[in-house]
Amino acid sequence: MAPDPVPTPVPASAQLHQPRYFTWEEVAQRSGREKERWLVIDRKVYNISDFSRRHPGGSRVISHYAGQDATDPFVAFHINKGLVRKYMNSLLIGELAPEQPSFEPTKNKELTDEFRELRATVERMGLMKANHLFFLLYLLHILLLDVAAWFTLWIFGTSLVPFLFCAVLLSVVQAQAGWLQHDFGHLSVFGTSTWNHLLHHFVIGHLKGAPASWWNHMHFQHHAKPNCFRKDPDVNMHPLFFALGKVLSVELGKQKKKHMPYNHQHKYFFLIGPPALLPLYFQWYIFYFVIKRKKWVDLAWMLSFYARIFFTYMPLLGLKGFLGLFFIVRFLESNWFVWVTQMNHIPMHIDYDRNVDWVSTQLQATCNVHQSAFNDWFSGHLNFQIEHHLFPTMPRHNYHKVAPLVQSLCAKYGIKYKSKPLLSAFADIVYSLKESGQLWLDAYLHQ
């Protein structure tokens, strides 16, 4: 009988290069609740425990995907994925075992695969490339309105009518600059991050007086996990000021928690929501943010805005007139900003993160407003909120082109694609607050 063959020893160098294999159960245990954080991109497993603090997009946005597959958000948020992957090599610790699916069972495989095909189609169609003339003209219309506001006072004087007309023009400037900085912040104008970041600083810092780092910190979290409580900062007013969403409102009622009379929230929203957010909160918090985090470049850009408007309007209005103008503008801008930004999200599903696929995550949290020239301009094309959330780096002038493709995808998989008139969208904010407030009250009293 022949002796058993002696196994050939594996060289040490080969052993070092054999990938480590992991299961989804192992990945899910590194969700950030403890110290260790892992995530998966294209089946490769990365340890982001230390890197999350150095992540250019912010530590929280990447940590929100700890313990999960992050392939689709990775593709959605980065415009130079090849460069980013080079930096990711040092974080690579292994890959999913061959028998493991490419993503968790909570995600729709067919929908995800087809969306990725749609993404490839969109890129081949050139819909991720910006028309620079569009954004140049958009910036010029903001600057012209800014100049027109000053000339209104210089030519017609500072009596009530020109004063209020100047305030309205400046409010338009602030709102439209807000939509434009949103484009640069999402890296949707230029092909390189450097130019997008530079123009982002100019528009949000010099034209609006706010810090780019603060916007990045808040807004990317919102896009990563929209309407996910404890992950989306846009729903952080729950439960301190509002009871949001059916699930969370009932939970709050069952817990017998009452920070506010939520059954009246659809009424006091008109007092502490649209008129107050910017002048009474954001206006002061942004300074606290940049000083606490030592964002001195952002602070310099912000101060350039305040110096410019101070020396521009003080000689015409005096200190009291200048301060009055400034807060009227912030008041008007705040109403515009809150109604537009909340019409797409507050009436939609709000819950904890259930780790569903990218398309479902975005569609259950967003809705559209019908297209028109006015709606496009008034909302900065955020009436196409669904397309914007699915493709956050897509230039806004291409949303209407991809919308039919998204609608077809939703119809195929039975996903609701909601679009409504502008005024109906505004009204739905109030109706949804009334509904969730009543759900809270019923649970508070009877469950």
Side-chain angles (χ1 to χ4, degrees), residues 283-337:
Q283 181 60 51
W284 312 108
Y285 178 76
I286 54 178
F287 281 96
Y288 167 78
F289 181 93
V290 294
I291 292 172
K292 181 182 179 182
R293 296 178 179 239
K294 299 179 180 179
K295 301 291 185 180
W296 307 126
V297 172
D298 274 329
L299 182 60
W301 278 107
M302 292 166 63
L303 293 177
S304 75
F305 163 79
Y306 291 101
R308 175 173 61 85
I309 61 166
F310 180 83
F311 289 114
T312 302
Y313 287 96
M314 260 291 292
L316 296 175
L317 296 171
L319 182 60
K320 288 184 179 179
F322 165 72
L323 292 176
L325 176 68
F326 180 79
F327 282 103
I328 289 173
V329 170
R330 283 290 187 246
F331 168 80
L332 294 174
E333 179 199 0
S334 186
N335 280 275
W336 190 337
F337 172 80

Side-chain angles (χ1 to χ4, degrees), residues 409-428:
L409 181 69
C410 292
K412 180 176 180 179
Y413 288 93
I415 300 173
K416 287 185 178 180
Y417 181 102
K418 291 187 178 181
S419 184
K420 58 187 77 168
L422 180 64
L423 295 182
S424 297
F426 290 164
D428 282 349

Side-chain angles (χ1 to χ4, degrees), residues 184-411:
F184 291 116
H186 273 294
L187 313 178
S188 65
V189 181
F190 297 105
T192 62
S193 299
T194 303
W195 278 105
N196 282 301
H197 290 321
L198 178 61
L199 269 294
H200 190 212
H201 277 293
F202 171 74
V203 177
I204 196 174
H206 184 66
L207 297 186
K208 288 190 60 61
S213 58
W214 164 76
W215 184 89
N216 291 338
H217 170 74
M218 300 289 285
H219 197 66
F220 289 144
Q221 292 184 72
H222 161 70
H223 269 270
K225 294 290 185 179
N227 281 9
C228 291
F229 183 50
R230 303 193 191 285
K231 291 192 174 184
D232 179 1
D234 284 10
V235 295
N236 277 354
M237 59 263 203
H238 175 96
L240 189 58
F241 295 109
F242 298 99
L244 298 179
K246 297 176 182 179
V247 175
L248 299 181
S249 298
V250 171
E251 177 190 67
L252 204 61
K254 288 180 177 179
Q255 294 171 347
K256 309 303 177 187
K257 291 183 178 179
K258 183 182 179 181
H259 302 289
M260 295 284 281
Y262 302 120
N263 50 310
H264 296 290
Q265 64 184 2
H266 59 291
K267 303 170 187 174
Y268 65 71
F269 170 76
F270 289 92
L271 297 176
I272 68 172
L277 184 64
L278 267 64
L280 298 184
Y281 179 57
F282 280 177
Q283 181 60 51
W284 312 108
Y285 178 76
I286 54 178
F287 281 96
Y288 167 78
F289 181 93
V290 294
I291 292 172
K292 181 182 179 182
R293 296 178 179 239
K294 299 179 180 179
K295 301 291 185 180
W296 307 126
V297 172
D298 274 329
L299 182 60
W301 278 107
M302 292 166 63
L303 293 177
S304 75
F305 163 79
Y306 291 101
R308 175 173 61 85
I309 61 166
F310 180 83
F311 289 114
T312 302
Y313 287 96
M314 260 291 292
L316 296 175
L317 296 171
L319 182 60
K320 288 184 179 179
F322 165 72
L323 292 176
L325 176 68
F326 180 79
F327 282 103
I328 289 173
V329 170
R330 283 290 187 246
F331 168 80
L332 294 174
E333 179 199 0
S334 186
N335 280 275
W336 190 337
F337 172 80
V338 172
W339 285 105
V340 169
T341 57
Q342 299 310 305
M343 68 182 182
N344 305 108
H345 295 298
I346 282 186
M348 302 303 290
H349 183 68
I350 302 174
D351 198 354
Y352 294 95
D353 179 20
R354 304 300 181 186
N355 190 22
V356 294
D357 54 83
W358 177 254
V359 177
S360 300
T361 295
Q362 305 303 330
L363 264 294
Q364 69 186 8
T366 56
C367 65
N368 280 5
V369 167
H370 296 340
Q371 183 186 20
S372 71
F374 176 78
N375 288 352
D376 291 354
W377 175 84
F378 185 75
S379 68
H381 289 84
L382 294 182
N383 50 327
F384 287 96
Q385 193 73 218
I386 292 172
E387 288 71 26
H388 171 55
H389 266 255
L390 290 175
F391 307 99
T393 61
M394 177 181 286
R396 64 158 102 167
H397 52 72
N398 288 333
Y399 292 157
H400 73 281
K401 298 177 182 177
V402 75
L405 302 178
V406 174
Q407 291 170 21
S408 297
L409 181 69
C410 292

